[in-house]
Structures are given as C-alpha cells and as structure tokens.
Amino acid sequence: MDIDYVSNLLKDFKAGNLTLNDALEKLKVLPYEDLEFAKLDHHRLMRQGFAEVVFCQGKTVEQVLAIVDRLADYNRSILATRASREMYEAVKKTVPEATYHELARLITVERQKPPVDQDRFVLVMSAGTSDIPVAEEAAVTAEIMGNAVKRVYDVGVAGIHRLLDQRQLIEKANVLIVVAGMEGALASVVGGMAAKPVIAVPTSIGYGANFGGLAALLSMLNSCAAGVAVVNIDNGFGAGRLASIINHMR
Amino acid sequence: MDIDYVSNLLKDFKAGNLTLNDALEKLKVLPYEDLEFAKLDHHRLMRQGFAEVVFCQGKTVEQVLAIVDRLADYNRSILATRASREMYEAVKKTVPEATYHELARLITVERQKPPVDQDRFVLVMSAGTSDIPVAEEAAVTAEIMGNAVKRVYDVGVAGIHRLLDQRQLIEKANVLIVVAGMEGALASVVGGMAAKPVIAVPTSIGYGANFGGLAALLSMLNSCAAGVAVVNIDNGFGAGRLASIINHMR
Amino acid sequence: MDIDYVSNLLKDFKAGNLTLNDALEKLKVLPYEDLEFAKLDHHRLMRQGFAEVVFCQGKTVEQVLAIVDRLADYNRSILATRASREMYEAVKKTVPEATYHELARLITVERQKPPVDQDRFVLVMSAGTSDIPVAEEAAVTAEIMGNAVKRVYDVGVAGIHRLLDQRQLIEKANVLIVVAGMEGALASVVGGMAAKPVIAVPTSIGYGANFGGLAALLSMLNSCAAGVAVVNIDNGFGAGRLASIINHMR
Amino acid sequence: MDIDYVSNLLKDFKAGNLTLNDALEKLKVLPYEDLEFAKLDHHRLMRQGFAEVVFCQGKTVEQVLAIVDRLADYNRSILATRASREMYEAVKKTVPEATYHELARLITVERQKPPVDQDRFVLVMSAGTSDIPVAEEAAVTAEIMGNAVKRVYDVGVAGIHRLLDQRQLIEKANVLIVVAGMEGALASVVGGMAAKPVIAVPTSIGYGANFGGLAALLSMLNSCAAGVAVVNIDNGFGAGRLASIINHMR
Amino acid sequence: MDIDYVSNLLKDFKAGNLTLNDALEKLKVLPYEDLEFAKLDHHRLMRQGFAEVVFCQGKTVEQVLAIVDRLADYNRSILATRASREMYEAVKKTVPEATYHELARLITVERQKPPVDQDRFVLVMSAGTSDIPVAEEAAVTAEIMGNAVKRVYDVGVAGIHRLLDQRQLIEKANVLIVVAGMEGALASVVGGMAAKPVIAVPTSIGYGANFGGLAALLSMLNSCAAGVAVVNIDNGFGAGRLASIINHMR
Amino acid sequence: MDIDYVSNLLKDFKAGNLTLNDALEKLKVLPYEDLEFAKLDHHRLMRQGFAEVVFCQGKTVEQVLAIVDRLADYNRSILATRASREMYEAVKKTVPEATYHELARLITVERQKPPVDQDRFVLVMSAGTSDIPVAEEAAVTAEIMGNAVKRVYDVGVAGIHRLLDQRQLIEKANVLIVVAGMEGALASVVGGMAAKPVIAVPTSIGYGANFGGLAALLSMLNSCAAGVAVVNIDNGFGAGRLASIINHMR
Amino acid sequence: MDIDYVSNLLKDFKAGNLTLNDALEKLKVLPYEDLEFAKLDHHRLMRQGFAEVVFCQGKTVEQVLAIVDRLADYNRSILATRASREMYEAVKKTVPEATYHELARLITVERQKPPVDQDRFVLVMSAGTSDIPVAEEAAVTAEIMGNAVKRVYDVGVAGIHRLLDQRQLIEKANVLIVVAGMEGALASVVGGMAAKPVIAVPTSIGYGANFGGLAALLSMLNSCAAGVAVVNIDNGFGAGRLASIINHMR
Amino acid sequence: MDIDYVSNLLKDFKAGNLTLNDALEKLKVLPYEDLEFAKLDHHRLMRQGFAEVVFCQGKTVEQVLAIVDRLADYNRSILATRASREMYEAVKKTVPEATYHELARLITVERQKPPVDQDRFVLVMSAGTSDIPVAEEAAVTAEIMGNAVKRVYDVGVAGIHRLLDQRQLIEKANVLIVVAGMEGALASVVGGMAAKPVIAVPTSIGYGANFGGLAALLSMLNSCAAGVAVVNIDNGFGAGRLASIINHMR
C-alpha cells in the first residue's frame, strides 16, 4: 500500500474534498505494492480482515524475506505458510518477533494479541498422530486470526469409543476442522454428530492406494453427512482461515 | 421418533422421575424409526436443526413414498432431493401440500414458513445458464431451511464486467454459494472479492476434458483464494444445507 | 463332468483296479464339460464346496439357459448372478424350481436346504437404502451356500447412534459383510467394533466425485481398521462366497 | 489399560458391587490412555485379541518410543510396523527384548510365545523375489499373533509348473496370503486352486504402467476367482492380521 | 487406386519407358482414391498384404456403403469392422457375396479363399464366455487374411486345469491371441507356457473396478511373462491382423 | 445491449457532452442484457470482433430461442453451437434466415457475408472420416467469422503418403486446425511441416483405452513439435474461433 | 546441414543447372546432420524461422555439448532448454557467447539481435511468484526469436483488482501468454478481456489435489473463454515459440 | 536344474529305461532350482529358447550375485536387466566374462556368439536422443538372443523427412521396435510404412502431462495403424525378447 497515496487520500478527506464513504471506497478497492516479482495486497486486511498471507513454497529465501519485510511495515500480525527453517532464520534477522512453528512449518509475527471470544472456539480434530502437522497448520492459523482453538488428536474411527468420548466437545464447538488421511472417515462421523459447520482437510498420510491423499479427498467429498465442506489435500491453512471467517460471523 | 416413547418420557419428566437434563439428553441421542429398508432419524430436527432429508436417487417410488409419509407425520417441513416427477405424483396423493421444483428435482413440503432474517442473505451465483439446476437445488434448500436467498446467474469469468457489476451484492452477502462447471474459475474470483465464507459447487456441465465435473472440482479445490470450501460435484443440496448452518450462527 | 468317465472310474475302483486314494485324486483334478462356448467345471463342488456359479452378464439368454440346464443335471443347488428377468423366464421353463430374486438379480435353485448352524451367522450391513440390491446379492449367496444370515440396513455413519444400537449384533456375528457406497466409511467403523473378519463391498451408489464407486473402494482399501478386506465394486456375490468359506471353517 | 482401573473394577466385582455382566461391559468399552499426540487403545487386546499395533510411518522417533514404552507396560507382545532401524535402536534401549526384522521393517516384542496350532497354518506366497519384504511383513505379523506360518516365494504364474508343485501345500493351508506386484495374477490362480480364504496383497513392485501398484490392485479386485479379498497396496500387516483373525475362528 | 493411372503406368512399362523397378516403386508409394470424406488406400494390399480395412464405427451407413462399394471393384477380399446389421443389409444389396458375423460385428467378402498353411495355425483363446465377441473378431480377421485358426474358449485361470489341458495345443500354435477381461491373468500364464509370440487383447468385460477394461489392460502390460505384447481394449481386429503378419513370416 | 443506453450515449456524444474517446471507452466496457437465466453480452462484437456465441448444450429449447431472438435484434451474424435439430426448428420460425449444419450441429445466421481474404486461408485437416463432425464445427465457425477455409479430411498418419501429398497446401496455409481422435499423432506431424500456428483438436473418436479422447488429448499436449497448442476434446468451435482471431492479425 | 551439399547446390544454381525454385525447394526439404545419437535439423531455420532448439533434459552433458557445438557453426542464435548449470559451464568453454538464464534454465547464444517490432509485443503474465520460472522460459524464448516482450507477474484472480489494473496492457498486447498453477483461472479471465490469442501454460506449482499441474491443465482446457489454447504443463518454451510464430504473422 | 536329476535321467535313457520322447518330455516340464528367495527356472532355455533372465530391480546385490552365479554354471549366455553398476562389480568377480552396458543398465555374459542370420534384422528406432537407454535395452537384448540388429535414433515425427529417409531400411526390416516418449506418434507412422510386425515401447521421457509415460502408452495403444502391439513403459527388454521370438520363426 503506497503510503503517499493513503496520506494524500486522508488529507483530502480531512479537507472535505472527499466524503467518508468515498474515502472508504477508494481504500477498499485499489492499492497494492509492486515488488516486480510479487504484488503485495496490503489492503486485504481491510477487505477481508487479515493481511495477505505468504505462501512460501516455490519462492526463494530472498523473495520470502523481501515480502515479509514489506508486510512487517504495515501489519501487526503476519503469517507465512510452508516455510522452511532456513526462511525463518533469514526473516528473524530483520523481524525479530517472528516465531517458527516447526511441525506446522509456519512463520508467525504477532505483535499484539487480537481479542478472542473464548466461548466460540474452533475444534481441530485429527484422525491420527501422523496428521498432526496439517492439524497444527490449521490450529495456529486460526489462533493468529483471533480465535480460541481446542485440539483433539488421534481419534480415528477405528476406535469409535475414543471419538464418542469427545461428544460434548464436538457439540459445543462453534466450527470444526477435521483432519484425516487414509480413508478420511472421521469427517462423516463428526459431520453427523455436530450441528455446526465441519471443514474437512484430507491429508496425504497413508500408503498404497491412498495415492497422495486422493482416497481421503474423495471420501470427504462423498460424505453422507450434510454440513461438511472440503479444502485441498494438506491445506491446513485454508481450513484455519475459513474457520476463522465463519467463527467471526455474528 | 416413536411418539409413545416421547410422551412417556415427558410424563416421566413431569412426574419428577427424570431431571430436565436427563430428559434432554435422552431426546438428543436415541430414537429413530425402523422401516426395515430405512432407519428414519426423526430426531435430526432436534439435533441438527432440520429433519432428515430424503435422498431419492436409487430408491424405488414405493420407498420414497413410505419415507415421506412417515416424515410427514412428525414434521412441518420436508425436503426430498433428486426426486423424479413420478415420485412427486405418488407423494402428492398422500401429502397434498407437496410442491415439485422441476429444475432442481426437489419435493418440498412447507406447512409453515420459518422466520427469516432478510438482512442475512445467502447469495447463490452460477457461472452459466446450464448450471442453474444445481444452483436452484442449493437455493431452494436454503430457503426451506429458513434463509433469505438472492440469485445471480450466468456471471462466468469470461465476461468479468458482468461479475464486477455484482460487487456490492457480493460484499453484502452473509454466505456465498458459487455454482460452476467447465473450469470453475468463478469460485476463485468471488473468493477474492468476498469477506464471507464461499461454498463452491462444481457441476458436471461441460464436455471433453471436463470428465464429469472433475475439471471444476480440481479447480475449486486448488483455488488460490482462501475462504473457499468445496462440496461434491452437482451437490447443490449439500451447499444449501451448509450455507444454512453457517447463516444461522450468531 | 462326463458321466461315463465317472462311472468307469467307479467300476475300476470297485474292481480293485484303482485304490481309494487314486480314485479320489482323479476325481479331484480332472473333469469338466465342454459346451464349446463354455467349459463347465462340474467338479468345483467337490473341490471348493459349491458348484460353479453362472455369471450371466455378457452372456446371451441361450447361453445361460444351456449352462443352467447342464448344471441342473448334476447339482442340488444352483446360483446364477447378474441375471435378467428374461433369463429367469427362460430358465424356469426347464428348471421349474428356479426362483428369481428381483433386487439381487439372482436366479437360485435349491432342491434341498443345506444344514445351517444358526449360532454362526453372517451379518450383512448396508450404509444406505440404495445399497440394498448389492447387500441382498451377498445375503442370498451366503444363504444358498448354507449360512445363517442377519441383515441390518441403512446404518450409515452420519447417524452413528443407529449403528451403535447394533453393537451387540456386530459383536456376536461370525463374519461381517459391510456394503456401502458414497464415502464407504461404515467399513472402518464396523472394523473397529468387530473382532471377526469384515468383508467390505464398495458400491457404485452416489454421484459426483464418487466416480462409479471409486471413492468407496479407495476408502475401504485405506481403512484404518485392521481385519478388513475388500472385494470389487458392487460384488455382493464375491463377498457372500468368501463369507461362506470363512464361516464354514472349523 | 490403566491397571488400577482394572484391579478396582475386579475388587468391586468380587465385593458384589458389580454384576458379572456390568464388569465385562465396562472392561469392553472404555479405557484408553491419552498421550496428547496419541490415544492408546490398551483395551484392544481384550476386544480384538491383540494389543494396539504401532504404525510408525509419519511419526517421530520420540513419538514411537513413547508409545512402545507405554504399551510395554501392559502387554506381552508388541508389534510396530513401518519402523526404521533408527526407531528400533531407540526402542531397544528401554525395551531390550525388542527384535528388528530388517526386510519387513517390523519391531516385535514377544515375551512369551503364544500357543500355536501347527495343523492350521497360514501359507504366505509371493510372486517374485522383490515382493518378499511385504510378504515377510505379513508372515511375521501372523506369527507374533500366534499362527503357524509357511512361506513359498517366487512362484509367479509365468512359470506355472513352479506353482503347481505347491498344489498340496495350497490345498492344506487354512488361510492363504498371496503377495504379488506387476500384474498380480497369482491371486486368481491360487484362488482357483484353494478351498480356503485367499487374502491378496498387491505390491508396488514393478515399473512403467504399474503406477505404484495400481495394476496389481485392480487385477486382484477383478479376480475371476471367488474367495479372494484384497487389502491395500503393500499392506502386509493388514493381511497378516486378517489371516490371524480367520485362522483363530473355530 | 485410379485405374487410368495404373493402366498408363503399365503401358509405359511395356513400351520400355519405365524399368521394372521404377514401375514397382511407383506402384508402391502413390495412389489412393479421394471420396472427399475418405481417402481410400487401394494400394495397401500391395504394400502390406491386405486391402484397406473399413472401420465402420462413427461412419454413416451411406459412407460405409460408398467405401465398401469402391473397395469391391478392386479387391477379392474385404473386411469391415464394428459394422451394424443395418450397414450389412445396405452393403449386401450391391455386394451380394458379403457375409455378416453377428457376434464379431464384421462384414466380410471373400470371393476366393486364400491358400492356408494348416500346420502354422493361430490359436485364439478366451478367458470367459463373455469375451467371445472380441475373440471372434480376432479369429475371423485372421481367417480372411489366410491363416488357419483354432479356438479355445472359457479357459480362465481360476480353473487352471481347464487351461493345462490345452498345453499341447498351446505348444504347437504358431502365434497365440489371448482375449481376457476382468483381471486378464490368462495372458501371463499362457505367456509362460508358449514359446511363440502372444498377443494379448484386454476386453471391457467385467464390472466395478474394471473401469472399462483398464484392469485387464494394465495387468497385461505388466505381465511377468516375456514374449507378450498388448493391443487396445476390445481390439480383436488389431490382434488378428498382427497375428496374420507374424504367421506369414518365413 | 440496452438500445436506449446506446442512443443516449450517442446523443451525448453528438451534443459534445462526451469526447470520442470517452464514448468508445463506455461502449467497450459496460452493457449486457439480463434475461434472468442469461446475461447477454451484446458488446462482445465490439470488444472481441464477434457477437456472443450461444452454447446450446444443457439449455432448454425455450432458453435457446429467447437468446437467439435477442441476439438477432442487434447482430448480422449469429452462431449457436451444440444445437439440436429441434432447437433449429424452433429458431427458424422467428429467425427465418437461420441455417442448420447437421454434421456440425451448428445454427448460423449470416445476413451479410463478411469480407474474406482468400489468400490467407485456414486449413482444417481431419485424421479420419469419423472426426469430420468436429472438423466441420471448426470450419463453419471460421467461415462465419470471415475466413477462407480449406478442408482436407482422412489423412491420418498411418498412410503417410496421403498426408505428404498435402505438403504444399500445408505450407501455404495461414493457420492450421488439426482434428484427430485415436492417438492424435497427426498434430505432431503437421506441426513439424508447417511454419504457421497449428491448433490441435483432440476428438473422442476411438475405443478402448481412448478413454473419451484422453489419449489424443495427452498425445497432442506432449507433441514434440513446437508451434502446436491444444483446445478441449471435441471443441471444434474453440479452434475455429482462435484460428479466426489469429488469421485476422495484421 | 552438410556444407558441401549446399555449396555444390549453389554452384549448380549459379551455373544454371538449377532454377531458383528448384534450388529453394531442395534446400527446404532435405538435409540434416547425423551425430548418430542425434539428427540435427539444420534446415529448420529456413523451414520454420528458427534453428533447431535443444531439449537438454534426459541428455548427457556430452551430448548437449556436441549438439550445441555443431549448431554454433551454422547459426547466429541458439536456444537450449531445461539446461543445468553444469551443461552451461561445459558449453561456455567452446561457445563463449553463451548466456545462462538461471530461473528459466535456458542457455542462449545471440550473436546478433534480430530486428524487433516494439509495437507488437508479447505479454507474459503469471498468476503467482512461484510460476515465474516457467514464465521466464516463455519470455526469453520469445525474445531470442525476435519479439518485444512485456512481463506482468503475480496477478492471480484472487486479487482481481491487481489484474484489472493491467486492462490497458492486456488490450494492447498482440499475443498473450498466461502462466498459472493451482486452479489456473487466470487464463479464463484474461481470455475474456483480450481480443488477441491467449496461450495458456499450466504449471505444476501447487499442492494436494493439484496432481502435478493436472488441475490447472484441465481448468485451462475447459476455459469458458474462446480464443484460449493450451500447451503442456510447465512448457514455457512451447508457449514462447508459438507466440513468436503468431506475432510474426502479417 | 538339478544336475543329478538330469544325469540320472540321461543314464536311464541310455540304459533303455526311458524312450527318447519320454526323456525329452521330462526335461521339458519339471526342474527348477530353489534358492529359497528365488526359484531358478533352469529349463527355460529348452522350453522357450533362452535362459531365465534376471530382473535386478528390487533385489539386493547379494541376491543378484547368487542368481547369476547359479545361472553361470549351466548357461552360455546370461542376461540381467535393470542392473546397477554396483551389481555388475560384484558379478564380475565371480563371472569375469560379464559385460556392463551402462546406458541400457544390462549385464550380459556371452561365452559363445549364437549364429546370426544377417538378412533378417531387427530394426530398433527411437524418437529422441533421450529414449536411447530404453532402445539400447531392446537392442542388446535382441543381440544376445542371436539377432542382427540395426539402430536408427532420433527420428521423431516432428521432422518427418528424417524418418522418410529411412524408408528403405524400414521396408527391409524383419521386425521393428519403435521406442518413443512424449506423444509416441512414431509408432503409428512406422506402423503405416512397414509390412512387418511393429513392437512399440512407450518411454517415460517427457514432462508435464506426460504422466510418467502414460501419454505415449495411450497413444501407442490407440494407434490407427494395424500391426502394432505395445509393451510396458520403458520395457526395452520385453520388446527385444518378443522381437527375437518373432525373428526366429520360420
């Protein structure tokens, strides 16, 4: 977001050359910053409630550094996904508040905790221990976006009593994220128990005819439970982001 | 739900043989009715806010008739999806209030309109004219579940100005359902414009390398916009149901 | 089985030209009857415990008739799968004891009930009403092969309490057949509850990204429950046959 | 299974505070231990005849160690699959009886040999030399669960006389496990020769249009022999477990 | 082949304006006849030993008629594949020697039997009765191209003794065509028994995870027997043609 | 395009209230007509050189009629693709100049021939006779958009001399459209011969492992010839449209 | 191209033994140089406007070196794609003018800049930062073939305002190359905005159900915008080459 | 082949206890040697004309060494495919005549050249330089089995004149092997030119939508040329073996 652009805009508004509505409208639609190899959408915070998130995979360390650097100038909270430890080490030098979440491969910057409504929590469930990295990506994403998060891991359907023990938590949750690889059946069972939206995240965990998460993906898409929607394989971030949007609805 | 079961339960409660919590708990978990070829979950209304929905595909006319008949004894609103006109004609004889939605292939019974919050509307968008049947399945589902619904059809991304004209509507909507076949790109564009949850429904409309909706499905799953989740190909009902759940959150 | 061959063999045995073991060995390996377009394995009954089963799909009515006719000369029980009503009408004229199972598309001939151990029953479960035809193919197959069969239909995992109500039956069953389309999650849940072998049958019921049963198939193959094995999509017969083999083990 | 929990339960029973049925019921359904990242189902031994098996893939060495450690407190026999040598080295320090099966990538602990019925053996066959690791996973699994196991390796159908030489063994086996990659045809041929259940395990061995085991998987699912069921690609453990369940049926 | 072109060419040759080699060369490369919607390669007989074969699928009755008509002017033998009875009825009016092979869907014209070497026969085998139409397409194709053909049908590997009975025939055959649907294992077993080339034809016969012949196709491509090559699913003609080419090699 | 809108705009321009550039700009971006089930982009002619094309598949006869009717009010040339004869009969009543192209399933209206540059022709080639319907869709599309078109059909690569005879035509063509099913190899060979852009159209013609055009599609995408681009399976219209755009470049 | 061959040919021409047309014709069709492991098509420059391009993947460093060496003898400009830095280091020693484009993995030799028409530029757009390597392959290819190129990167559709800002550039471009991974929606949106040909390049960037670029590929093939054609996944070179051919048309 | 078995057999024959035919018959069917992890079919030489070939992939160096060692005791020629250099180094120590073919990854032992008919040669063609390793696997295989082999590499169809130059060689070849990756079109073009059998070998060379050789595989299976059959992706050995079988037919 070009800082001159905004200050001029604000001056115009103060001077009465611009109505409040016009100013807001202008701020809502236009500006982004052009780094040549990336166009930073500084305005996303205003438009969608959280700053642009950096998807690090396929970017060089230098590119990630440059982008995070610029975002750090204008935002309190920053989220970078699929980040390597090497990227984190580079970022940390210029943005010392940065934290690295090893399992979830996330870099977060959180200069000021957002207010959180503890009663409206997001419940993140995983079918197995091996699904935890994806589940953590979802959980940390939801947390940095200002949500209370509870975690219940390793409750796959082959031991249904482990899952049934969580019935009360499932009924109380405001939004549910179900992370499962292999046959992904957890989403259907939870979908039938919950009265709230269930976001299903297939993972690539498994082997053989799992085909990189295809089995869990198809399983979740064909869920016999209504109220379930699916995001991409291993896309913990997407689930956390959507859960946050829903959880902030009033 | 066995009516005797419930009346006895209530009598027990009144007589003090059952605490309020125990009574609620019992009502919440147990009863369904066994038709041998189907186990009707009469209690879903209490547990998830809407009665069991009849998925007619693969059932005989006789089975559909028997199920709807039983549901009609206990519920004000009934929804049957993927219903043929022949099924409707059979149902109508015993449930005269039934309505048939030709395009959406839905049978609905609505004896009393549920209260609707007109300010919190669900926006159903379709990319093309041929996607309208699936869009209507979503829209009618959301309506019978007590939601205000607005429709915007034929706004595929190849004519981006048609879509941009809907910007204000998109920004005001509380939940968005995007129905698209072919390359399904509409979901990503709308996902980037909206600050609210977007439920994407791929359709099997298209030809060639569309492979029965696979192209749109993969496209939507890989959407570069956060805040988008996907339901099964042509699953308008699932989208409408999930939209309703989200829209009723407070 | 060439009748002359067998009678000569028996005469040889009686005359002492053949030891008992040699006679049995010869009977076990060799004979089948050549109808030119089919080679009937009359000896399967002796080798594998049930006569050759006729797979009618892709055969003409004349071919089915000729095969059943020949089998009827040597066997008490006959089973023909994927049979049309037209095939049944043809068969009935020459084999009047034949029965047609409409839903399961089976022709059976059962001239003498085999002895059945009622305590060791096969439990056939279906996730939905639409899966019943495949479930019936499995159930009738197991019955004609001399097994007690119990049926529990429409207990899909989205209403987990319907399934949990069957816990005792599931624990008592000697072999379980789980028939499910859509996401096929029932197999995993039952697999975790049962201590006996579970044979999972994916069905082609569903729509969209079900891809003709692929979703349920992959789901079942990737089941997180041990003790589950899978047969081909819609292959009720195969499941019934295998269940019978296992159920007769001592 | 918390040992205190069980002893108290038993005392209660002895003291008459608990009926026999109630005690059994309680034992059957409830306890598992929560390690936060894993929920150990200590009760599986009682419910399904063998303790929970540790699937090591995707878990850290620390997680595997913690789980095996806890299992070692309550069980005589332990099985961990897809284990690396590194995991084994870690486990061995605290559970010195642990053995590593290099080819099969299994860690086993077997403090007391279970009783084995030598007449009822499981026959494990492999089509090629390269399929042996998966075959060994099946064989060792069946052995630790108390079964006699015989092995016949490298009897692929392209040299049918090698297979026919095993006819007697095939006929005598109580349960058969057929492990094959490439075109997986061995399952069909053995399925036609055996009168007992055949569990087919496709392997990912092969190249070109084998597509990671898909060719063998589809081949086995479409087997023209009845009595064959399939487990996931390379899933030797699943086959061994199922074979053991069947082999223990009386 | 433009008749004037050839007669002039021959005259030139007679007159000494063209050497023998030049004349042959010219005849070998050039002419075909342009029907606008089809370019008939009249010269294929000279170049590849048999006239152009008409693939009728996707052509109108009129187009087939016009093409066969033209071919009939220049050739003794004609073959049209995937022909409907309606096409045959049309062809018969102008080419009365035409014969229709119902099962194989072939139209043949054979005005003079080609010389046949009875000792070098092509063996066509089918795994099941339902594969016979494709097997017949192969067999009739080989016959009209001047080969002795023997047929052995319904010898699938699930009854291996039926197949072993054919051992001598298999060893004597000069070229083998193996037609099989379902899991297609017959090709591998025959491939291991024969010392001559085996042409494998997968068929679309089967159901469930057969996926229109994909299972048999992959199975045959991954055959563990060397000496096996594969043609397209249901492509009996291609197999018969290739068998004929090989069988005529000296 | 709202006619009032345009007339007012033009009046404003005449009155000097609007500069030429402003008028053009306004015309270029905005108007379309809302039929509720379709949003007609009347302005496409100005923006992209040809009016909106009606894709009839999945639309009702009434919808097609309504759309063509409206388009007929504002355009000289109209194109409707994938149209049934029934749609044509309906259209013809209100737009009598409409023509139906049976093979190509196109409805065209051409009130005034566009000027055509005969030297810059589009060459449409098909590999087989069965590919002609798709080829004709491409050819007629290019013609109605004002291009000279030459057709060369049935020149598949298995008879390479038929193709080589077209060398001069191939070298002279300005844009080439190659339509081929089966293995689609024609695109690569032509791509190597031509110095101009080649648009490849895979068709669904074929059988067996053609998988609805997938074989030809993959083949063309992997073409070893540079200068080849691919459109969707059977998408003759798309190829014709793109060829026209390229052919009109100067 | 054998240099003797050409000089003799030219001498013949000068001596009047060859007409101009004959000489050109001979030059156009014949010569290439045989390196045994490669057949260099030296004549492609004359036939298709640019020398043979070296596809380095799967070749050894020695092979690449030998080929580039020979090309360097006859051509001013050379392009080698998918080249490793190691290959470049080897080439540089004998062809010192060679340049390495790290991101695009290209080796170029450009001894004399071709004339470039600055008004007719190729616009290369990428959806994300991670797609830049493929976009650069396209851009550099177009540049070395004599085209003006403009680049606009990171304008994915989830931030539609970033894309709309480029509207004027899009409208002015003569040919457009759209490079996108994930859901590939950019091609459709740009296709609807541009009046010129759009070449879409799917990339393998993404994760989960992206399946190595399949999602973007299918999306682009099914684009609802006419005027879009697709090249292989990650095939930046193919797109640049085709863009150059189109851009040079007059 | 157990040496005692054979010597006894021969002694019996000499002593007149066995007729010539009986001796041959016994030798033909039975013996193989059991190495526990492999069953060596020493008799294949007699049955199919060449000793058992060692497929090294997936085997340990020790296993390969043991197998080659045993084969070396009984055979003049040995072939081991997919062998690493490390395997070769191990083999060489005990079988010093062994040769390693780096490109083709073959180990060969050839103690005595088999007689070769130079007039009946096998022609091995490759589309590109990168396909040479697979082509060499085919060529060396055919050579060691006693065939004259000619090689023509890098004649892909995009430069059709390079291929046409080989017309005479193609017409003279007795059997043709066509090795091609990418779109695999070479098989169809050669298939149309040759009057002899064509064995097509798809390779995994390519990128993007090549999907590991799937594109070339499907292309070749759908070839419009008759007389073409296909082996597995990258299966040069299979092609060479089949070519040898055909080439030795008289």
Side-chain angles (χ1 to χ4, degrees), chain C residues 48 120 194 222 230 232 250, chain D residues 48 120 191 194 222 230 232 250:
Chain C
Q48 298 197 318
R120 299 166 68 90
N222 286 282
V230 185
N232 202 355
R250 286 306 108 125
Chain D
Q48 300 198 316
R120 298 166 69 89
N222 286 282
V230 186
N232 201 356
R250 284 308 105 128

Side-chain angles (χ1 to χ4, degrees), chain G residues 174-190:
Chain G
N174 206 39
V175 187
L176 298 101
I177 295 175
V178 174
V179 181
M182 301 184 114
E183 92 282 59
L186 186 60
S188 292
V189 179
V190 171

Side-chain angles (χ1 to χ4, degrees), chain C residues 106-141:
Chain C
L106 297 172
I107 299 172
T108 55
V109 176
E110 195 171 25
R111 285 154 176 165
Q112 192 177 358
K113 284 269 171 203
V116 167
D117 179 345
Q118 295 297 343
D119 286 346
R120 299 166 68 90
F121 66 90
V122 175
L123 180 61
V124 180
M125 309 179 77
S126 91
T129 300
S130 310
D131 301 313
I132 293 182
V134 177
E136 278 298 303
E137 194 187 58
V140 175
T141 294

Side-chain angles (χ1 to χ4, degrees), chain A residues 35 37 59-69 86-87 90:
Chain A
L35 299 187
F37 61 84
K59 295 201 175 70
T60 63
V61 174
E62 290 69 33
Q63 289 174 332
V64 169
L65 187 57
I67 294 173
V68 172
D69 234 39
E86 188 194 0
M87 288 169 179

Side-chain angles (χ1 to χ4, degrees), chain G residues 7-26:
Chain G
S7 56
N8 287 333
L9 191 153
L10 292 181
K11 285 177 201 159
D12 277 4
F13 176 57
K14 204 173 178 183
N17 299 334
L18 213 58
T19 67
L20 176 65
N21 281 346
D22 285 359
L24 285 175
E25 205 57 33
K26 276 181 186 251

Side-chain angles (χ1 to χ4, degrees), chain F residues 28 47-48 120 174 191-192 194-197 217 221-222 226-232 237 241-242 245-246 249-250, chain G residues 47-48 120 171 174 191-192 194-197 217 221-222 226-232 237 241-242 245-246 249-250:
Chain F
K28 214 162 183 178
R47 222 171 63 243
Q48 299 197 318
R120 298 166 69 91
N174 206 41
K196 292 293 171 60
L217 171 63
L221 282 169
N222 286 283
V228 177
V230 185
V231 295
N232 202 356
F237 160 69
R241 177 76 184 106
L242 178 54
I245 292 175
I246 297 174
M249 293 174 73
R250 284 309 107 124
Chain G
R47 223 171 60 243
Q48 300 198 315
R120 298 166 69 89
E171 286 175 358
N174 206 39
K196 291 293 172 61
L217 171 64
L221 283 169
N222 285 282
V228 177
V230 185
V231 297
N232 202 355
F237 160 69
R241 177 76 184 106
L242 178 54
I245 292 175
I246 297 174
M249 292 174 73
R250 287 303 108 127

Side-chain angles (χ1 to χ4, degrees), chain E residues 225-248:
Chain E
V228 177
V230 186
V231 295
N232 201 355
I233 298 166
D234 291 338
N235 188 6
F237 161 69
R241 177 77 183 107
L242 178 55
S244 176
I245 292 175
I246 296 174
N247 200 38
H248 281 92

